[in-house]
Amino acid sequence: MTSMQKNSQMSSSLAVGILLALAGGFMDAYSYMARGHVFANAQTGNILLFAVAISEGRPADSLRYLLPVVSFALGIALAAAMRTRFGHMSRLHWRQLTLLAEILILFGVSFFPAGQHLLANSLTSLACGIQVQAFRKIEGNGIATTMCIGNLRAGVQALHEYHIGHDREELRRGALYFGVIFFFALGAVAGNLAVGRWGLFAIRWDCLLLALPLLMMLSKPDESKEETK
């Protein structure tokens, strides 16, 4: 039995993973294109821009990059706390609660005007941190749906292993990683187009994207309570 077949949780299914990757790309495009060129997910980029601002003597400007990084970390901590607090609930899975929280946060972001980009970006990064912590696997494989660098490394490694050993499972795994990257990029395209049409309200479409995996998870009452590390 392959690792893809072992994990039957809806929260780690391919369909949910694709939707989350689309949403992740959408969020990053929204924050960058509509909210002052700050990344929602790519905290490496924000840390770089923060350091550049500091080196150029712009400490006040550096905060617009630093606070999203802090918010992203808080989102990770919040998701971990929700797992601890609600991990044993019988009616709802804790990941369903994290998705609901993410949707509500992003919907709230749509109401912040242009003069409040800092707060809007910080909340968007908070939502991204929740997602990256709560959803870490697709079909048994460790995959991020809000960033690409780890997926790129793992995808190339899997293809290398296939080249060496001709194990079709490695080829399938590599295709999975690159597929998630593709859908992340597709979500970014959709986010940019949505910003061009709906401006700051475009993030509401991302809320709809996130509502789909939430409904899928709610439709499977036998969602396993076993946690994947």
Side-chain angles (χ1 to χ4, degrees):
M1 183 179 294
T2 69
S3 61
M4 291 187 181
Q5 294 170 323
K6 288 178 182 178
N7 196 312
S8 60
Q9 288 185 309
M10 178 60 73
S11 58
S12 62
S13 68
L14 179 59
V16 166
I18 287 173
L19 290 169
L20 291 177
L22 286 168
F26 194 111
M27 276 185 276
D28 232 7
Y30 173 81
S31 64
Y32 191 82
M33 300 305 299
R35 295 290 187 177
H37 294 172
V38 177
F39 294 107
N41 297 317
Q43 301 309 323
T44 301
N46 286 336
I47 292 172
L48 170 65
L49 293 171
F50 163 76
V52 169
I54 290 294
S55 70
E56 293 178 347
R58 298 181 285 113
D61 193 41
S62 69
L63 288 178
R64 70 189 184 108
Y65 304 113
L66 177 61
L67 290 184
V69 175
V70 174
S71 296
F72 186 86
L74 290 175
I76 294 172
L78 178 59
M82 293 177 73
R83 172 183 172 180
T84 300
R85 176 64 179 84
F86 302 111
H88 301 291
M89 290 180 64
S90 58
R91 290 182 175 271
L92 289 174
H93 193 279
W94 69 273
R95 289 191 179 92
Q96 296 167 356
L97 296 177
T98 64
L99 262 185
L100 179 60
E102 193 176 348
I103 291 169
L104 292 175
I105 290 169
L106 293 177
F107 188 72
V109 166
S110 69
F111 291 98
F112 288 96
Q116 297 180 6
H117 283 342
L118 179 59
L119 183 55
N121 284 329
S122 296
L123 288 173
T124 305
S125 289
L126 178 73
C128 292
I130 292 173
Q131 182 172 317
V132 77
Q133 174 66 13
F135 298 89
R136 294 183 290 170
K137 290 197 174 185
I138 297 178
E139 296 186 336
N141 298 279
I143 296 181
T145 57
T146 61
M147 58 193 73
C148 295
I149 187 168
N151 296 337
L152 181 60
R153 183 210 61 78
V156 172
Q157 176 68 26
L159 293 182
H160 171 73
E161 296 296 334
Y162 171 72
H163 175 71
I164 296 299
H166 302 288
D167 183 351
R168 295 190 65 83
E169 176 63 19
E170 294 295 342
L171 180 61
R172 191 180 303 111
R173 183 175 291 110
L176 177 61
Y177 282 108
F178 282 103
V180 169
I181 292 173
F182 169 78
F183 282 106
F184 180 92
L186 189 62
V189 170
N192 187 36
L193 293 175
V195 167
R197 184 173 179 85
W198 290 285
L200 300 181
F201 297 108
I203 195 64
R204 294 181 183 179
W205 289 104
D206 206 45
C207 296
L208 291 178
L209 266 177
L210 291 169
L212 294 176
L214 177 59
L215 291 173
M216 292 169 64
M217 292 167 65
L218 289 171
S219 71
K220 188 177 180 182
D222 59 337
E223 174 81 355
S224 172
K225 297 300 186 294
E226 294 182 4
E227 300 300 333
T228 54
K229 301 297 184 182

